[in-house]
Amino acid sequence: MAKQDDLFKNVVSHAKEYGYIFPSSEIYDGLSAVYDYAQNGVELKKNIREYWWKAMVQMHENIVGIDAAILMHPTTWKASGHVDAFNDPLIDNKDSKKRYRADVLIEDYAEKLNQKAQKEIEKAKARYGDAFNEQEFIATNARVVEYKAKQREILERMARSLETENLEDVKALIEELEIADPETGSRNWTDVKQFNLMFGTKLGASAESAMDLYLRPETAQGIFVNFQNVQKTGRMKIPFGIAQTGKAFRNEIVARQFIFRMREFEQMEMQFFVKPGEEMKWYEYWKTTRLNWHLSLGLGQENYRFHDHEKLAHYANAAADIEFNFPFGFKELEGIHSRTDFDLKAHEQHSGRKLQYFDTETNQNYVPYVVETSVGLDRMFLAVFSNSLKEETLEDGSTRTVLRLPSVLAPTKAAVLPLVKKDGLPELAQEIIEDLKWDFNVTYDEKDAVGRRYRRQDALGTPFCITVDHQTLEDKTVTIRHRDSMKQDRVKISELKDIINREVSMKTWLMKM
Ligand code: ATP
């Protein structure tokens, strides 16, 4: 655990030191769970967003994008169920005065049981080697069966209690399991209460005429209210999707994990409208497609897993998370939800407008079903950034810090470095920059010895360093150094564009899907 904590601390400090993420309004000591993206962070974030947009919108003929406003008519949130049901169950510890999400405390406990079962499996695997039959072991080993059954029983009971608003039972469960405050060990808990996560605000000048609004807690509703506009003007035929990226706001109860859980964050969502009855087929399709998108970035298959929801949200008939192995363990990165016709029907009822699709084959109108994919951009950032940060020991025994970002996402694709600050080398380096900057984000660096400059670019995650030396003056060649292998090749200046492009283009990476 200590090692994990250290890794996470490193991630947070590296993000600050290298201009990726700063605490919001830091000169006033920051604002809890709000962060600013710095000069490199903004580029990485933009590249992740574009990678998603390319894969989801531009590579699909039947998916289009929109950019709806953050402020929406307040009835939207009544119809969507957020006013009545967008709550988290919170519990306070009376001794430490710390506040927790009751469901998260219970889920963490259940996850520990899962880990215990996993340990037994690993031990047996090591003992029996090739002869080991994992499925049989999971089904028959008394300890594993017991851990798994207990885990299931706890999660099912919690789901039932939350669904029926039986908050006394949620507390009873915490007490029966003897769950303690993770920070202090105290078991002196208050009752469990519901807490609405929406931020309220007002529209209008005078207090009397002002209208109560909410900052949107998800981007999805901006898509639903525009369903008819997009379908008609885009002449969209079912099945089709509407995508958008943008800010969402949630007054999170516990926000202690850097950009994993923020109060202001960005989502990348796509609502896919399908014929009723076909939603399960599309739900499976999008689960697979989205996982493949994640895998295309090469962060390691073992770092992803699906988690099927026990407790379904009020709008869903099936839901799964793609979880990622963050520095603090496996947690939700993306949600894939089969939302039925809940949202469109609710907006029909509240607005009095028809939100239906006319099927020319059957000559019938129907309210489409929806399958949603929803990923947090900031969580994607954290997944990519934390997974890429490595301390490496080199052959000569020295160490280097390297940010092995997928090069398609790296903020800067190449740094151009004159070996020395004289003899016309800086001018030549600038000429190379002038040429490359039309296609890539590139940077110039002449300060310090070249070895130190390489290290600085490694820590920034720049995939290529291009060094201009005296030979360049003679034969128009440079050395190009690869961040990950540290290999250096001598190449012609005229070849640089192709070499970089082959490595960093979205096509190269998305073709792996
Ligand atoms: P959690 O259970 O972690 O609170 P959620 O199930 O409420 O998440 P959704 O409503 O499904 O999340 O939102 C879709 C995605 O938006 C999530 O998978 C996550 O990546 C992102 N997200 C949600 N809340 C936050 C937040 N507070 N900060 C950053 N990203 C968030």
Side-chain angles (χ1 to χ4, degrees):
M1 196 61 197
K3 220 169 156 194
Q4 279 190 347
D5 285 351
D6 286 350
L7 173 66
F8 192 38
K9 272 191 199 137
N10 268 348
V11 165
V12 177
S13 63
H14 195 89
K16 182 165 178 211
E17 190 180 341
Y18 285 90
Y20 276 87
I21 295 173
F22 302 145
S24 156
S25 27
E26 198 186 8
I27 58 167
Y28 297 106
D29 296 331
L31 182 64
S32 163
V34 186
Y35 291 90
D36 295 341
Y37 285 86
Q39 66 275 18
N40 294 311
V42 72
E43 293 286 339
L44 173 55
K45 191 177 174 199
K46 174 178 71 64
N47 292 345
I48 298 173
R49 194 191 295 112
E50 283 177 358
Y51 193 67
W52 182 88
W53 192 265
K54 184 84 202 167
M56 296 298 281
V57 181
Q58 297 177 347
M59 298 305 289
H60 286 97
E61 230 169 277
N62 59 344
I63 299 180
V64 293
I66 61 166
D67 184 13
I70 287 171
L71 299 176
M72 299 181 70
H73 192 284
T75 310
T76 309
W77 306 111
K78 190 73 197 152
S80 68
H82 282 80
V83 172
D84 297 320
F86 194 52
N87 303 318
D88 275 344
L90 71 83
I91 190 164
D92 290 300
N93 188 283
K94 290 186 200 161
D95 295 329
S96 70
K97 310 275 183 261
K98 293 235 180 279
R99 178 161 280 188
Y100 294 94
R101 259 173 68 174
D103 56 335
V104 171
L105 286 177
I106 296 169
E107 278 168 9
D108 285 351
Y109 182 93
E111 175 58 23
K112 277 191 198 130
L113 292 172
N114 185 39
Q115 281 167 8
K116 281 185 182 164
Q118 211 52 42
K119 245 193 201 146
E120 294 292 331
I121 299 167
E122 295 303 324
K123 268 200 313 208
K125 211 185 260 174
R127 199 175 331 133
Y128 297 115
D130 287 345
F132 184 59
N133 180 337
E134 187 166 331
Q135 291 314 322
E136 193 184 310
F137 184 79
I138 291 173
T140 54
N141 178 274
R143 278 212 197 122
V144 173
V145 169
E146 191 192 323
Y147 287 140
K148 294 252 178 207
K150 181 110 195 238
Q151 183 198 16
R152 213 169 25 248
E153 188 194 315
I154 291 169
L155 291 175
E156 279 170 10
R157 177 167 157 198
M158 180 181 82
R160 256 193 327 272
S161 307
L162 287 173
E163 232 152 62
T164 52
E165 288 282 318
N166 186 353
L167 299 182
E168 285 88 38
D169 192 56
V170 177
K171 178 170 185 195
L173 188 56
I174 288 178
E175 284 177 338
E176 280 168 38
L177 298 174
E178 301 189 343
I179 295 176
D181 181 330
E183 291 191 28
T184 64
S186 156
R187 283 195 231 128
N188 192 5
W189 295 110
T190 62
D191 288 341
V192 178
K193 282 184 290 211
Q194 289 289 22
F195 176 77
N196 192 290
L197 300 181
M198 281 198 294
F199 277 107
T201 185
K202 289 197 183 295
L203 177 130
S206 68
E208 305 84 65
S209 64
M211 187 180 191
D212 285 318
L213 295 187
Y214 296 103
L215 300 182
R216 67 180 178 197
E218 62 175 27
T219 58
Q221 299 304 323
I223 293 178
F224 294 128
V225 300
N226 278 302
F227 164 77
Q228 204 59 280
N229 283 339
V230 174
Q231 195 263 316
K232 289 248 155 76
T233 57
R235 297 164 32 169
M236 308 302 291
K237 293 261 173 298
I238 271 183
F240 74 90
I242 306 177
Q244 80 166 324
T245 69
K247 286 274 170 103
F249 301 81
R250 294 182 188 177
N251 199 358
E252 296 282 359
I253 296 169
V254 185
R256 295 190 192 117
Q257 280 163 327
F258 194 37
I259 57 168
F260 179 81
R261 192 173 297 288
M262 300 157 93
R263 299 207 159 97
E264 172 180 344
F265 59 101
E266 195 163 335
Q267 290 184 314
M268 307 191 285
E269 296 197 305
M270 192 277 300
Q271 310 295 325
F272 200 68
F273 299 93
V274 305
K275 202 170 173 173
E278 294 192 349
E279 70 275 14
M280 279 307 146
K281 179 180 89 185
W282 288 110
Y283 172 68
E284 292 304 329
Y285 170 84
W286 282 112
K287 270 177 75 174
T288 311
T289 306
R290 291 302 305 144
L291 181 63
N292 286 342
W293 179 84
H294 288 285
L295 294 178
S296 74
L297 289 170
L299 305 185
Q301 192 152 12
E302 69 285 1
N303 289 319
Y304 299 88
R305 69 181 190 196
F306 278 116
H307 169 243
D308 293 314
H309 283 207
E310 310 280 337
K311 173 185 179 253
L312 292 174
H314 56 276
Y315 51 75
N317 68 357
D321 298 335
I322 296 176
E323 294 187 337
F324 183 77
N325 192 8
F326 287 97
F328 35 82
F330 274 95
K331 295 271 183 223
E332 172 175 345
L333 173 60
E334 168 152 6
I336 292 124
H337 310 125
S338 174
R339 292 180 80 123
T340 69
D341 55 3
F342 174 86
D343 302 271
L344 290 180
K345 273 215 169 122
H347 287 304
E348 276 199 329
Q349 278 159 13
H350 283 80
S351 68
R353 306 284 181 94
K354 277 214 172 327
L355 299 177
Q356 302 192 356
Y357 178 77
F358 180 68
D359 190 331
T360 47
E361 274 170 29
T362 59
N363 272 344
Q364 274 177 339
N365 277 310
Y366 60 82
V367 179
Y369 269 44
V370 171
V371 176
E372 159 186 85
T373 72
S374 174
V375 56
L377 176 49
D378 314 87
R379 278 193 198 175
M380 259 315 282
F381 187 112
L382 183 59
V384 169
F385 192 88
S386 60
N387 183 276
S388 301
L389 186 59
K390 310 274 182 215
E391 288 291 331
E392 292 180 353
T393 306
L394 306 178
E395 273 173 17
D396 65 1
S398 65
T399 57
R400 72 160 180 164
T401 302
V402 53
L403 195 59
R404 288 173 169 267
L405 295 172
S407 58
V408 63
L409 303 181
T412 307
K413 304 305 184 199
V416 185
L417 324 170
L419 189 64
V420 288
K421 266 193 274 184
K422 55 182 184 188
D423 305 334
L425 301 188
E427 290 75 12
L428 207 54
Q430 287 294 358
E431 264 177 44
I432 295 174
I433 296 230
E434 284 305 310
D435 187 36
L436 291 180
K437 76 181 185 193
W438 291 94
D439 297 290
F440 313 107
N441 194 24
V442 287
T443 187
Y444 175 79
D445 190 3
E446 61 172 24
K447 197 166 170 279
D448 299 325
V450 78
R452 287 189 62 180
R453 280 181 269 167
Y454 285 156
R455 288 288 182 276
R456 191 154 57 226
Q457 295 302 329
D458 286 346
L460 280 164
T462 310
F464 295 107
C465 283
I466 296 161
T467 308
V468 175
D469 55 22
H470 290 95
Q471 193 182 328
T472 314
L473 295 169
E474 286 160 25
D475 64 4
K476 298 255 180 276
T477 64
V478 288
T479 58
I480 183 160
R481 174 184 179 274
H482 301 256
R483 177 197 66 200
D484 296 345
S485 64
M486 296 190 289
K487 215 170 115 255
Q488 300 190 22
D489 301 317
R490 189 102 212 160
V491 303
K492 292 200 193 99
I493 291 175
S494 56
E495 292 171 331
L496 284 173
K497 210 176 287 176
D498 277 350
I499 295 171
I500 299 172
N501 193 50
R502 225 176 295 134
E503 173 79 29
V504 309
S505 84
M506 281 202 212
K507 188 171 176 188
T508 304
W509 288 78
L510 284 174
M511 292 282 274
K512 294 182 204 155
M513 262 183 85

